[in-house]
Amino acid sequence: MTSRIPGADEFTSRPLPREELLRQISPALPLHQVDDEQAEQVAALTYEVVRHRLWAITQEMGETLRRMSGSHVVTESNDFNFSICDELGEQVQVGTYNVGLIGSMDLAIVWTLRNRSDNPGITEGDMFLCNDPWIGGGLHQNDAAILAPIFHEGKLFGWTTAIAHQIDLGGPRPGSFSPSAQDVFGEAVPTPPLKVVRGGVLQRDVADAWVRRSRLPHLVGLDLRAKIAANKNAAEQILRLIAKYGADTVKVVMRRMMDDAERRLRAKLTNLPDGTWTAVGYQEQSQTGDRGLHAIKVAMTKEADRLVFDFRGTAEQTGIINCPYPGLRAGIVFTMLPLLAGDIPWAAGGLMRCFEIITDEDTITNASFPAAVGKGPFGPAWGAGNLVAEVLAKMLDAEPSHRGDVQSICNGTTDLCVVSGVDVRGGGSKGFVSPVFDVMAGGYGAQVYHDGVDTGGRLIIPSARAPDVEMTEYLYPLVALWRREQIDSGGPGRQRGGMSGSVCYVQHPDQKGTMSLIVSGTGKVANQNVGLAGGHPGNSQLDLVVRGVNDPQLAQATAIPGDLGELGGDIEVLPCEGESDLGPGDALYLHWQAGGGYGDPLLRTAGSVREDVRQARVSAAAARDVYGVVLREDGDVDATATGETREELRRRRAAGAGLPEASLKPIGALDPDGLVLDGARRLDDNLAVLESPDGGTVVCLHCGTRIGPLAGSAFVAALARRDGAPTEAGPHIWHDPSEYVDAEIVFRQLYCPGCLTAVHSRVVPVDHPLPADDYRS
């Protein structure tokens, strides 16, 4: 008998060509496969019936997990997902819950086939437990997956997977998130695929070892059994489907589902312009004590029917803001599915054939073991997804028939805050760990023809929900002073970004002692929720503790406090990555991210701004200072003052950009569906190209100014530029970046040099590169 000690590189996953994977699977594992000729032999009606049944089985897995789980992460917030896969792990159908969680499930199955098919073997009734981010069983260690093979007549027919976020899986800090971790050994333990069910029997030793690591073993144990049950129920229904239609027929349908999804996405890509688009974003504070900004870069090239995402040049791995390759891939998947494949059935295995990833090793988006990766999913994976959303939007905006699909960046990231302590209500003494999931109610980005959805959820979790406040108060010793939509939070633009919200918690009156806080949030300085085509970013994320709140005042309060100023006390600004506490006299305030705007705010109709003010979406001050709309005391628009204010704002732009006021051209009427200039090809809301053999000239759609050559994006140098204070983007932007980082932060706008219409608006470090490659070449 021989033994081996695996190296770190053996615990990594990458896509493999089908034939290479087949060579690496043990011959002792028989596979059910169909050939190409069989794939043409299923009637259209049978195909649709079986396809829809597979979709329904996936959704029913969600109901099974929700009914059995005791975790409010599952029952209240839908932070889980499922998939049905073929025998080699390609995903045939995925759920509509947290899409990021299934972005790498196929990689985990591939790894299991390569490394478990000979020893300990993959047999009927087995299931594998995995939470290893390098393998793909979750984006960080808190995401725990169950991988379940399905056998028919002795052959491996397919797989089902169930994955959910676990509140605590050990490590030095409650919630398994440690902002000061130096490497993965300072976090929860990653577990490669481990046989937790053998021959249909739960392995008690494995289950006991699994829950032993957690501060909340009962919840983790319930979720383990719930995921096992969801997989078991799904397998039984798939086998009933096989009994009715035959194994070959069901497998042919599965293959055709993926082939159809691939064909439809490739057809859509073929109709979109070829070119390369780039974007740069930042992660703030790599760990406790860090004050840096760490760049993520992407260049997306679209050629014919395929996409290539090139992340070379991204910052080296550091601190806790790292994700391995499966997390990067998941970031692309959870962005592409809703934005580019919203009208295509989510047979993810087929959709993922349409893109390629290029990336450097040892970076924050492709971290090598043993990097700390606790922030992987809501740090660099989500950050990479934001940049993918940005470049996809630029590509879609350049094709008139797809402008309705364009969307500015949604809430950009999550605001992680874990509250933990001992619940002594009712004379008891019970430990608790509670991530604050109110932050699920993020704002959606603005679109070309519509404002963003206010507190609509999260793009990456189509079925996301903010928990019922009363349920949170029932489960944990917290009392909510308010949870409300936050005025001015949506990114200003011709179309406004969707608003986000804020929540303020204090300890329950019966609670004694101090609770622990762990916080992690990007987007407090360099906004993740950027706007497009001159639209401003959504609000800065903000976490505060108000110390010394007047307890008697709150106990006797007859009205909801209007704002933080009514609480009294002293405000402590929490870092991007750090730890704090919440005492009996303190209040915890979280303000999460909204959606970015689309288009120059000065082009928003005055009537729309008036309605925003009436509905408390925009303040009267922001209406005047950002949108240039002045309202009378009765709430109606003062047309004369509005015209004068907008002209004054344009003159300020000219002065800041070093242009003479006398050179300003008038803005013409925007034609949202066509082109203002004959023979021009639109790039976005503001710019078009007059085609010519030398590559064409970029022109302004509003005033007709010929800005410069498109070739090499040379026209960008001819745009007027102005750097101002971050708060010039609006009252929703944090006023003091030095609270978080050492870099100088500015609100940078680029304008048409003729009419001073904003074509690019971003809160960035002063050395942020100009968007020289942001436009189709």
Side-chain angles (χ1 to χ4, degrees), residues 410-424:
C410 297
N411 52 298
T413 184
T414 194
D415 188 0
L416 175 71
C417 181
V418 180
V419 186
S420 61
V422 178
D423 186 351
V424 300

Side-chain angles (χ1 to χ4, degrees), residues 157-504:
F157 178 84
W159 297 76
T160 60
T161 72
I163 183 170
H165 181 92
Q166 308 297 149
I167 292 179
D168 184 272
L169 284 177
R173 298 291 181 269
S176 303
F177 187 82
S178 179
S180 59
Q182 300 300 306
D183 51 37
V184 74
F185 301 112
E187 301 180 323
V189 177
T191 304
L194 190 67
K195 190 176 290 192
V196 68
V197 176
R198 187 184 300 269
V201 179
L202 177 67
Q203 300 302 284
R204 188 178 299 169
D205 55 348
V206 177
D208 287 349
W210 174 248
V211 303
R212 181 67 168 170
R213 68 181 68 188
S214 176
R215 296 170 178 85
L216 302 169
H218 296 298
L219 287 183
V220 172
L222 276 173
D223 279 351
L224 172 65
R225 287 159 175 80
K227 285 179 280 191
I228 290 171
N231 278 297
K232 184 174 184 296
N233 289 349
E236 290 173 351
Q237 293 184 66
I238 290 171
L239 290 173
R240 284 199 292 269
L241 198 63
I242 290 172
K244 183 173 183 178
Y245 292 97
D248 288 352
T249 297
V250 175
K251 181 60 66 67
V252 165
V253 170
M254 294 167 70
R255 175 183 280 191
R256 280 181 54 181
M257 287 171 66
M258 293 187 289
D259 291 346
D260 181 58
E262 177 187 8
R263 177 187 57 78
R264 292 175 63 175
L265 181 54
R266 290 192 185 279
K268 177 178 285 190
L269 289 171
T270 300
N271 291 325
L272 290 168
D274 288 346
T276 297
W277 295 261
T278 69
V280 179
Y282 301 90
Q283 299 289 295
E284 303 152 350
Q285 295 188 359
S286 66
Q287 59 186 6
T288 300
D290 180 40
R291 293 181 54 81
L293 290 171
H294 308 271
I296 300 175
K297 300 180 180 181
V298 66
M300 181 190 76
T301 298
K302 184 266 169 181
E303 184 176 359
D305 63 353
R306 64 192 295 268
L307 297 169
V308 177
F309 296 99
D310 188 342
F311 288 89
R312 287 176 293 186
T314 291
E316 294 181 356
Q317 63 189 55
T318 180
I320 63 168
I321 57 166
N322 309 296
C323 73
Y325 177 89
L328 172 61
R329 187 163 172 266
I332 296 172
V333 170
F334 68 56
T335 302
M336 281 187 59
L337 263 60
L339 292 183
L340 201 56
D343 56 350
I344 300 172
W346 284 0
L351 298 172
M352 285 191 277
R353 299 169 188 165
C354 302
F355 69 85
E356 175 188 346
I357 302 172
I358 300 173
T359 176
D360 295 323
E361 300 285 341
D362 305 325
T363 60
I364 60 175
T365 54
N366 185 21
S368 300
F369 189 87
V373 293
K375 194 176 177 177
F378 48 92
W382 205 328
N386 293 335
L387 300 180
V388 169
E390 186 176 344
V391 293
L392 286 175
K394 292 172 183 174
M395 175 181 68
L396 293 166
D397 216 353
E399 176 56 47
S401 63
H402 285 281
R403 297 198 75 216
D405 298 328
V406 173
Q407 186 170 43
S408 295
I409 311 308
C410 297
N411 52 298
T413 184
T414 194
D415 188 0
L416 175 71
C417 181
V418 180
V419 186
S420 61
V422 178
D423 186 351
V424 300
R425 291 176 298 173
S429 179
K430 180 179 67 174
F432 74 93
V433 179
S434 173
V436 180
F437 274 92
D438 304 73
V439 301
M440 285 282 188
Y444 270 57
Q447 298 185 270
V448 175
Y449 306 117
H450 304 283
D451 291 339
V453 179
D454 297 325
T455 57
R458 292 183 172 176
L459 181 73
I460 73 167
I461 310 179
S463 300
R465 298 191 307 174
D468 188 317
V469 168
E470 293 184 352
M471 181 58 70
T472 300
E473 293 178 335
Y474 171 75
L475 292 171
Y476 307 109
L478 298 170
V479 175
L481 300 185
W482 71 73
R483 185 174 76 185
R484 59 165 70 107
E485 291 184 329
Q486 200 69 28
I487 193 170
D488 285 330
S489 56
R494 182 176 68 80
Q495 301 291 357
R496 177 185 48 77
M499 290 191 295
S500 68
S502 71
V503 68
C504 188

Side-chain angles (χ1 to χ4, degrees), residues 418-739:
V418 180
V419 186
S420 61
V422 178
D423 186 351
V424 300
R425 291 176 298 173
S429 179
K430 180 179 67 174
F432 74 93
V433 179
S434 173
V436 180
F437 274 92
D438 304 73
V439 301
M440 285 282 188
Y444 270 57
Q447 298 185 270
V448 175
Y449 306 117
H450 304 283
D451 291 339
V453 179
D454 297 325
T455 57
R458 292 183 172 176
L459 181 73
I460 73 167
I461 310 179
S463 300
R465 298 191 307 174
D468 188 317
V469 168
E470 293 184 352
M471 181 58 70
T472 300
E473 293 178 335
Y474 171 75
L475 292 171
Y476 307 109
L478 298 170
V479 175
L481 300 185
W482 71 73
R483 185 174 76 185
R484 59 165 70 107
E485 291 184 329
Q486 200 69 28
I487 193 170
D488 285 330
S489 56
R494 182 176 68 80
Q495 301 291 357
R496 177 185 48 77
M499 290 191 295
S500 68
S502 71
V503 68
C504 188
Y505 282 111
V506 295
Q507 289 193 15
H508 189 278
D510 295 340
Q511 188 66 15
K512 308 296 181 184
T514 298
M515 301 177 182
S516 296
L517 298 178
I518 296 174
V519 292
S520 177
T522 297
K524 297 182 176 180
V525 172
N527 297 61
Q528 306 291 297
N529 47 354
V530 302
L532 294 175
H536 294 199
N539 67 290
S540 303
Q541 193 158 275
L542 183 61
D543 301 330
L544 307 171
V545 173
V546 186
R547 304 292 185 190
V549 170
N550 187 340
D551 280 329
Q553 174 189 350
L554 295 179
Q556 299 168 17
T558 58
I560 297 175
D563 55 37
L564 290 172
E566 295 184 17
L567 298 180
D570 300 316
I571 292 179
E572 174 189 331
V573 179
L574 299 178
C576 299
E577 310 293 342
E579 301 177 49
S580 188
D581 57 70
L582 185 72
D586 302 334
L588 171 66
Y589 172 85
L590 306 179
H591 181 196
W592 55 92
Q593 289 192 344
Y598 182 89
D600 190 336
L602 296 186
L603 297 176
R604 187 165 176 82
T605 65
S608 296
V609 177
R610 177 196 62 206
E611 287 306 306
D612 285 340
V613 173
R614 286 180 175 177
Q615 297 177 26
R617 291 187 169 99
V618 173
S619 66
R624 179 190 65 244
D625 298 338
V626 180
Y627 291 95
V629 174
V630 179
L631 302 178
R632 300 195 301 260
E633 289 186 3
D634 63 2
D636 283 337
V637 175
D638 185 328
T640 300
T642 293
E644 294 172 349
T645 301
R646 286 185 161 178
E647 284 304 306
E648 172 61 23
L649 291 174
R650 292 176 68 223
R651 286 194 293 270
R652 290 183 193 174
R653 291 177 174 181
L659 296 177
E661 294 180 15
S663 67
L664 290 179
K665 294 183 179 180
I667 297 176
L670 179 69
D671 177 2
D673 297 312
L675 297 171
V676 174
L677 303 172
D678 290 340
R681 169 174 54 81
R682 179 186 290 276
L683 289 175
D684 60 15
D685 211 42
N686 308 302
L687 303 175
V689 180
L690 288 172
E691 303 280 14
S692 64
D694 62 358
T697 300
V698 175
V699 297
C700 175
L701 286 169
H702 307 295
C703 69
T705 295
R706 298 194 175 207
I707 299 171
L710 176 65
S713 296
F715 75 95
V716 174
L719 294 170
R721 169 182 165 180
R722 181 175 186 270
D723 286 355
T727 50
E728 292 187 18
H732 57 301
I733 301 299
W734 178 246
H735 66 280
D736 185 12
S738 67
E739 188 78 46

